[in-house]
Amino acid sequence: MKHIFILLVLFTCFSVQAQRGYGSPYGNSGRGRSSVPRAGGNQAAYEPEKPDANILSSEKGEMYATLLGVDVFTKEVLKNYLKDYYSSLIAIGFDKEMPVEEKRKGVEAEKKKLKSSLGSILNEEQVQRIMIEEESGKESKKYEKEKRKKRKKKKKNE
């Protein structure tokens, strides 16, 4: 009877350790991993958060205003045009039912609409510069770098 009790205790200990992942002959077997699902449940894939068109238009409007050297009124009108442009691009980009070809056509149509609306407030060279910047993004990287340098200098001086 005593032997059966000892075997039962040993069997219970080994089964508990196997469930936890300790002492398994197959390596790590789950150490450090939790079987409890994390917040968000069983998401099939990561879905990026939609960017805010107001913030995008404000940042890009400031950058384009300093890049082109336009007055305050033109800068505000430019921000409004950019807000409409970015909100439509976000709507096209996050539409799950729309096929890829239709998305491309929609983006091209929005670019043409932006170009025509900018033509009413800016000259042809400035419009061309903005459209090139929207395609490449080189100037925005330089602009962000300069802003970071100014912030670092400002922090250093304080």
Side-chain angles (χ1 to χ4, degrees):
M1 187 68 165
K2 193 176 185 182
H3 296 289
I4 294 174
F5 180 74
I6 292 173
L7 286 175
L8 185 62
V9 169
L10 287 175
F11 178 74
T12 308
C13 290
F14 285 128
S15 66
V16 168
Q17 284 182 349
Q19 288 175 359
R20 290 174 138 184
Y22 303 117
S24 172
Y26 301 109
N28 196 6
S29 81
R31 283 191 192 169
R33 286 185 268 150
S34 173
S35 63
V36 178
R38 298 195 173 165
N42 296 332
Q43 286 183 328
Y46 171 73
E47 294 181 14
E49 189 175 312
K50 283 186 179 183
D52 189 14
N54 293 326
I55 296 171
L56 279 173
S57 64
S58 177
E59 291 173 354
K60 291 281 189 163
E62 291 292 328
M63 183 189 70
Y64 291 145
T66 56
L67 186 70
L68 302 174
V70 296
D71 61 342
V72 177
F73 176 74
T74 308
K75 179 175 78 171
E76 292 302 319
V77 174
L78 176 65
K79 283 182 184 180
N80 285 334
Y81 287 150
L82 288 174
K83 180 183 172 190
D84 295 339
Y85 173 69
Y86 289 131
S87 61
S88 59
L89 282 185
I90 291 169
I92 290 170
F94 282 90
D95 188 6
K96 293 180 182 178
E97 285 89 36
M98 188 182 292
V100 176
E101 283 301 317
E102 285 184 32
K103 285 183 180 184
R104 285 187 188 135
K105 289 177 185 176
V107 168
E108 290 300 319
E110 289 300 321
K111 285 181 183 178
K112 287 179 184 177
K113 191 165 44 168
L114 176 69
K115 189 174 183 176
S116 66
S117 61
L118 289 177
S120 64
I121 60 168
L122 301 171
N123 63 31
E124 185 61 34
E125 182 182 317
Q126 291 172 328
V127 172
Q128 194 66 25
R129 195 165 178 189
I130 288 177
M131 296 310 291
I132 289 171
E133 176 56 31
E134 283 295 318
E135 289 290 324
S136 67
K138 290 180 183 178
E139 292 294 325
S140 62
K141 291 177 185 175
K142 290 178 186 176
Y143 184 75
E144 290 298 319
K145 212 178 224 184
E146 289 173 11
K147 277 177 49 176
R148 274 184 262 147
K149 284 181 182 178
K150 286 179 183 177
R151 277 187 262 159
K152 283 183 181 179
K153 285 181 181 178
K154 196 174 186 180
K155 270 188 176 179
K156 209 174 204 181
N157 291 336
E158 288 180 356

